[in-house]
Amino acid sequence: MKLSFSTNAYRNYTIEDSIRSISSVGYTAIELMCDVPHAFPPLSTEKINSIKKTLHENQMEISNLNGFMMCAVGDFHHPSWIEKNPNERNTRIQHTKYCLELAKEFGVKTVSTEPGGPLLGLSEKEGLELFYDGLNEVIDVAEKNRVKLLIEPEPGLLIENSSQFLNFISRFNTKYLGLNFDVGHFFCVGERPDKLIKTLACFIDHIHLEDIAESREHKHLIPGHGAIDLKKVFDAINDIDYKNYVTLELYPYLDNPENAAKDAMQFINSLNLK
C-alpha cells in the first residue's frame, strides 16, 4: 500500500518543512496543497526548484496536487465553480488551469478539485450547468498536459454522493476527468466506502483517507478514531488492484500534524495489510 500525507494539515509550516516532517514519519509521498502557504500557483521557478530539491533530498514523491482550497483569495470552498459572480468563477477556472500546468512541471498525473461548490441559493440544475461549463473551459488544458482533473464529492456541496457523480461524469467524453475518492465523505452521506470502491473503480485515480465518527458528522479524524471499517476499505482497494497512492487527509490537526501523521501510520500498520 502506497501511503501519502496531505500537506493541508501543515498550514502552519513551510512546504519544505512539511516535506521533511512527513518524510521523517515514514511516508514516501506528499499530496501538495495548491494554496498558501505551500504552492498557490503560479509559482516562481525558484520556488518550484526549492520544492523539487527538498523532495529529492528526502526521497519523496508527490501523490496528487490538491487544488480544492483557495484560502489565498477566499476560503476552503470559495471562489467555487458555481459562484453567481462570473469573475469569481473565472478565478477558480484560472486556478485550476495553473494547477494542471504545475502538475506537469512536477511530473504528477492528477489534480483534485471541489465538486462544484456550495449552492448558496442556486438550484441543483443551475449549479450543475455552471460546473459543466467551467470544466469544459479547463479540459483542454488537462488533455494538453496529460493530467487528470479529479472531482471530489463532499457532503453539503453540489455533488456529494456516488449517484450524483455518476450522472454528472456521464456528460463528458474525455479520459482526463476522474474521481478523487474520499472515503470519509462517502461515509458521511450514508454510503458504504468499501462497496463503492468496487462500483467506482474505473473512475478512481486517487484516494483520500480519514476516519469519521459514528454520527457521520463531516469532521476528519485520525484512522482508528472513528466508526469506518477501514480494514474492509483497504481490502476493497486491494481487490480492485489499485496502484496509486492513498493519501491521509487530516487537515483539522493543525496543532500537531506530525503526531497525526504518526498515529495514522501506526493504525494502518496495525491492520497488517498486504
Side-chain angles (χ1 to χ4, degrees):
M1 190 65 62
K2 295 165 62 177
L3 292 179
S4 167
F5 197 86
S6 181
T7 69
N8 63 10
Y10 281 82
R11 301 193 302 281
N12 293 330
Y13 297 77
T14 67
I15 184 55
E16 292 84 1
D17 284 345
S18 302
I19 292 167
R20 286 187 279 265
S21 172
I22 293 166
S23 173
S24 74
V25 176
Y27 293 85
T28 58
I30 62 161
E31 176 188 68
L32 181 60
M33 179 183 69
C34 292
D35 197 2
V36 291
H38 293 166
F40 186 73
L43 299 184
S44 67
T45 300
E46 180 183 15
K47 190 62 178 178
I48 290 171
N49 289 340
S50 177
I51 294 172
K52 286 182 176 179
K53 180 175 182 287
T54 309
L55 288 167
H56 178 73
E57 289 173 345
N58 291 274
Q59 298 182 327
M60 296 283 278
E61 298 181 336
I62 299 176
S63 62
N64 174 61
L65 293 195
N66 189 327
F68 199 117
M69 298 158 51
M70 290 187 68
C71 295
V73 294
D75 56 32
F76 273 37
H77 296 127
H78 302 280
S80 78
W81 296 90
I82 60 173
E83 303 285 358
K84 292 180 180 178
N85 184 324
N87 291 331
E88 294 179 353
R89 295 199 301 272
N90 287 336
T91 299
R92 167 63 68 172
I93 289 167
Q94 186 59 56
H95 177 259
T96 305
K97 290 179 179 179
Y98 283 143
C99 288
L100 292 165
E101 290 163 352
L102 187 61
K104 182 181 179 182
E105 178 68 35
F106 282 121
V108 180
K109 298 300 183 183
T110 58
V111 171
S112 55
T113 190
E114 66 176 344
L119 282 167
L120 298 180
L122 291 176
S123 70
E124 182 178 348
K125 182 178 179 180
E126 289 171 327
L128 289 170
E129 289 309 308
L130 288 174
F131 192 25
Y132 178 79
D133 291 343
L135 288 179
N136 275 319
E137 289 194 44
V138 305
I139 285 174
D140 61 335
V141 179
E143 292 174 343
K144 176 184 176 182
N145 290 285
R146 298 184 179 182
V147 175
K148 277 194 174 184
L149 182 61
L150 308 182
I151 298 168
E152 180 183 335
E154 177 173 315
L157 301 186
L158 174 65
I159 296 173
E160 58 180 358
N161 61 45
S162 59
S163 296
Q164 290 172 319
F165 171 78
L166 287 170
N167 287 336
F168 185 68
I169 200 81
S170 68
R171 299 177 64 181
F172 296 90
N173 181 27
T174 177
K175 64 180 182 180
Y176 287 97
L177 273 183
L179 173 66
N180 186 48
F181 188 105
D182 191 296
V183 171
H185 290 180
F186 283 120
F187 182 80
C188 284
V189 296
E191 301 196 74
R192 281 271 304 271
D194 55 310
K195 290 188 174 182
L196 275 189
I197 285 167
K198 297 179 181 181
T199 302
L200 301 175
C202 64
F203 298 102
I204 299 173
D205 284 281
H206 186 249
I207 294 174
H208 272 172
L209 181 72
E210 69 279 337
D211 214 339
I212 296 291
E214 189 174 1
S215 66
R216 299 185 189 258
E217 178 188 1
H218 182 204
K219 181 180 179 181
H220 290 210
L221 301 175
I222 296 168
H225 291 214
I228 302 176
D229 190 334
L230 293 175
K231 180 63 167 62
K232 286 184 178 179
V233 169
F234 279 112
D235 286 344
I237 291 170
N238 282 326
D239 287 345
I240 67 170
D241 199 29
Y242 177 76
K243 300 296 186 185
N244 297 330
Y245 277 97
V246 174
T247 293
L248 279 295
E249 195 193 26
L250 299 175
Y251 60 83
Y253 292 87
L254 287 176
D255 290 342
N256 201 328
E258 187 170 297
N259 275 358
K262 287 178 182 177
D263 289 350
M265 179 168 281
Q266 287 173 0
F267 175 80
I268 292 169
N269 287 339
S270 76
L271 297 177
N272 296 316
L273 303 172
K274 296 179 181 178

